[in-house]
Every structure is written in structure tokens, then in C-alpha cells.
Amino acid sequence: AQKITQTQPGMFVQEKEAVTLDCTYDTSDPSYGLFWYKQPSSGEMIFLIYQGSYDQQNATEGRYSLNFQKARKSANLVISASQLGDSAMYFCAMREGTDTGRRALTFGSGTRLQVQP
Amino acid sequence: DAGVIQSPRHEVTEMGQEVTLRCKPISGHDYLFWYRQTMMRGLELLIYFNNNVPIDDSGMPEDRFSAKMPNASFSTLKIQPSEPRDSAVYFCASSRRRAGIYNEQFFGPGTRLTVL
């Protein structure tokens, strides 16, 4: 079974509008963390935002926010006021067993976002 | 501070040749990760180290792959002999253990490997 599922291979959004990128996850571990990374066409991986399984509030970082619905096992990324520079691949990732010290990330297949002027 | 440094950035080699990828983590980071990215399999963990000791190598595809971390500032990923199916982008990432739950991983620019 897929641990991280990103069902949107590609998304389009108009500049200055908000966009939501979907991510669902599967784990039986009560302690886990969810990450979003951005990969522009240049190829580097850029960390955007983190949400811990015990966090009471949704994470926010500037124009990025995470819509965390624990019961539904979803951690959707919301980008507000899209900019042309937001065009990139976006990956959702999970780290399980944060209590046990496991450090590796499992990545989803990614969503390619294109921001149109 | 310099980020994670990887070399070479691009490598083209012929099937059967030995390939060595290099990584310098961010100073002070005690975790180092090697990931591989392909169109078919996406991003997958190969191996990771903590304080230079391999912790999880379950993602290493087969005996042709080996990774070492002789000191805190250097790691290598070696493929011998290389095969066309090893063509991918290989990322090195590092993170630092600190109080709290999360430790984001900082990725290097990647090495694009092409095996002909």
C-alpha cells in the first residue's frame, strides 16, 4: 500500500489565486511528521513546511499553510496568492516513528503545479 | 553557511563502469541520507547514516551499490558495475538532531547519472 498518495499529477492555477495540493497518508504509527518539498525545474529540493502528528494547530509558513485533517489522514498544502515562481513539482513526504528516532522520509509521487499569468 | 554539496553534478558513463558519487553534508549535521529519483519509482531512500554509522540500508537495490561515510563531512555512494537502469538523479541530504520532533532534511543539488 502506498504510504503517501498525491492524486493530482498536474494542477493549473491563475496567478494571485490560491491553490490546494492534496496529500493523503497511511500509517499506524501514532507519532509521525509530514513534510512538503518544492522541486523547481532546476532540480533542487526545497523544504516548505512541516506538520507533526501531535500538533494541535495547522502549520503555516508565509504563503504556505497545511490543512491537516488527522482523522482523514490528509495533509493538504495550500498556497495563497500564487506567483509565477511557484511553478514546480511539489512533494508530500512522511517521517514515521518520530518517537523511535527513525529519520528517513517516504515521498509521494508529486504534483506538478503550473501558475498561469 | 554552505548547503549540502554533491559532486559531480552530472555523470555519463558506460555500462559496467564503476561510478562514485560524493556528498559533503552541512557542517554540524549528524544525519546523512542518500535518495534516488526516477520517473518510474519517484524519490526513494537508499540508505542513511547517523554519526557516520549506517542505520538503514534497506533501500539499497543490490550488492552493486555500496555507501560509506568515513567521517562527518564526507560520504560516497558507489555503483560497481553500473547498469543502464541505474540512470537517475541521486540526492544527498542531511539533517541535525535537535530538541523537538522534527528535523527537516536539507537536500543537495543532486547528481544526474546516465549509464549508457
Side-chain angles (χ1 to χ4, degrees):
Chain A
Q2 293 284 339
K3 285 188 174 289
I4 297 285
T5 302
Q6 295 181 254
T7 58
Q8 307 153 313
M11 290 279 287
F12 288 91
V13 65
Q14 289 295 122
E15 196 176 6
K16 299 180 184 177
E17 292 186 352
V19 62
T20 298
L21 306 183
D22 294 342
C23 173
T24 58
Y25 58 92
D26 182 27
T27 182
S28 57
D29 198 314
S31 176
Y32 54 89
L34 297 155
F35 300 75
W36 278 90
Y37 281 83
K38 172 184 178 181
Q39 186 177 40
S41 57
S42 51
E44 72 267 33
M45 296 286 288
I46 302 167
F47 167 73
L48 297 178
I49 195 168
Y50 168 85
Q51 181 82 44
S53 59
Y54 298 130
D55 293 344
Q56 295 297 310
Q57 295 190 350
N58 288 343
T60 61
E61 287 287 348
R63 294 187 298 110
Y64 304 108
S65 61
L66 208 151
N67 183 2
F68 182 47
Q69 298 185 48
K70 195 170 181 177
R72 297 181 61 186
K73 293 189 175 179
S74 74
N76 299 337
L77 176 70
V78 181
I79 305 174
S80 63
S82 298
Q83 301 172 357
L84 295 178
D86 294 334
S87 294
M89 280 289 286
Y90 288 82
F91 291 95
C92 180
M94 177 172 62
R95 180 187 155 203
E96 295 175 273
T98 47
D99 286 346
T100 60
R102 175 166 170 75
R103 299 286 167 172
L105 295 176
T106 302
F107 286 85
S109 55
T111 295
R112 182 170 296 282
L113 176 67
Q114 295 190 49
V115 180
Q116 297 176 319
Chain B
D1 278 344
V4 176
I5 298 172
Q6 290 187 247
S7 65
R9 294 292 307 276
H10 301 273
E11 177 80 28
V12 180
T13 190
E14 292 188 347
M15 183 174 61
Q17 295 297 305
E18 178 180 294
V19 175
T20 299
L21 311 182
R22 297 173 176 80
C23 175
K24 177 179 170 55
I26 293 172
S27 177
H29 283 194
D30 46 7
Y31 286 88
L32 184 139
F33 306 81
W34 284 100
Y35 291 93
R36 180 171 68 175
Q37 185 177 32
T38 61
M39 289 294 292
M40 290 295 294
R41 299 175 66 89
L43 265 160
E44 53 184 349
L45 175 77
L46 298 176
I47 185 171
Y48 79 93
F49 296 83
N50 177 216
N51 291 324
N52 313 338
V53 177
I55 302 299
D56 183 352
D57 64 354
S58 59
M60 295 287 265
E62 47 199 272
D63 292 345
R64 298 185 298 107
F65 285 69
S66 62
K68 294 181 179 179
M69 192 165 186
N71 56 62
S73 59
F74 183 66
S75 176
T76 60
L77 178 68
K78 187 175 292 187
I79 308 173
Q80 167 62 21
S82 58
E83 296 182 2
R85 61 191 167 126
D86 302 330
S87 297
V89 178
Y90 291 81
F91 286 101
C92 176
S94 70
S95 70
R96 177 169 54 97
R97 182 182 180 85
R98 58 185 181 184
I101 295 178
Y102 90 96
N103 307 83
E104 73 266 31
Q105 294 179 17
F106 295 86
F107 281 72
T111 295
R112 182 174 295 276
L113 173 66
T114 303
V115 183
L116 303 174

